[in-house]
Amino acid sequence: MIIQLSPIRIMKDALTVWQEPGPEVDIMMDVKNLTFRPDSLDVIYSFHVLDHLFENEAQAALNNWRNCLKPKGELYLVVDDFEFVTRGYVGGDFSLKEFNRKFSHPSNYNKDILVEYLARAGFKEDLMRIWFVDVPNLFKKEEYELVVSAQKHA
């Protein structure tokens, strides 16, 4: 089974899981604590979920998501790239008002922090990939996004 954690459908072949009802939501569930059987999911796509969680919630969610993945299952995380966003603000690419509207979250991530959280959840660094371009045949990466994928080891 392939799921995406998002209030809107981004991946056409994935079930949309979100914590509130919506026209594109297939399954309502607490995205921080998925109740799928352990080792039952092939792929989880998380679109801007971790940004909206506090550190302890984010770590618990990653632990839970890893538990739900089958061995060799894949997790794709999409978050705002804090380094890109802050450079854009300091460089004048957008105003503080726009920064607060689009990028103000309880947690911010760069690649090192995201890799650290994934490692603490039990993912191995040699099975992680940082995407600097679109993820081929899956989804487009926006310039302000950080995308990291991790495979659960067998």
Side-chain angles (χ1 to χ4, degrees):
M1 181 186 309
I2 299 171
I3 67 166
Q4 60 188 330
L5 306 177
S6 173
I8 60 170
R9 187 170 313 284
I10 297 168
M11 307 298 298
K12 65 179 180 160
D13 296 328
L15 290 172
T16 303
V17 177
W18 196 242
Q19 53 216 9
E20 298 169 355
E24 299 182 64
V25 174
D26 299 308
I27 300 170
M28 272 187 37
M29 189 179 295
D30 180 359
V31 296
K32 296 180 292 190
N33 187 28
L34 300 177
T35 54
F36 295 102
R37 285 186 342 266
D39 301 327
S40 64
L41 299 176
D42 298 296
V43 180
I44 300 172
Y45 297 100
S46 169
F47 293 101
H48 295 280
V49 173
L50 290 184
D51 309 76
H52 298 278
L53 304 179
F54 291 99
E55 181 179 355
N56 62 324
E57 294 173 316
Q59 191 64 64
L62 288 170
N63 294 344
N64 170 259
W65 299 347
R66 184 185 173 283
N67 187 50
C68 291
L69 284 171
K70 292 178 180 177
K72 296 190 177 183
E74 300 231 38
L75 172 64
Y76 287 85
L77 297 174
V78 181
V79 297
D80 290 338
D81 182 344
F82 187 68
E83 291 175 2
F84 178 89
V85 170
T86 53
R87 279 194 309 271
Y89 169 69
V90 170
D93 294 338
F94 44 85
S95 67
L96 182 57
K97 186 175 182 177
E98 186 176 7
F99 176 88
N100 286 335
R101 184 175 51 81
K102 291 172 84 174
F103 304 112
S104 182
H105 306 303
S107 295
N108 294 290
Y109 297 93
N110 64 20
K111 62 182 176 5
D112 297 329
I113 294 295
L114 209 47
V115 166
E116 177 186 321
Y117 277 37
L118 285 164
R120 277 193 271 164
F123 290 96
K124 296 183 180 211
E125 283 193 50
D126 62 332
L127 296 175
M128 295 180 203
R129 177 181 285 173
I130 299 168
W131 296 89
F132 295 100
V133 295
D134 296 350
V135 181
N137 304 314
L138 292 177
F139 58 89
K140 182 178 179 349
K141 178 197 168 301
E142 300 295 336
E143 65 180 351
Y144 62 85
E145 291 177 326
L146 172 62
V147 179
V148 177
S149 62
Q151 184 182 67
K152 182 176 178 178
H153 61 279

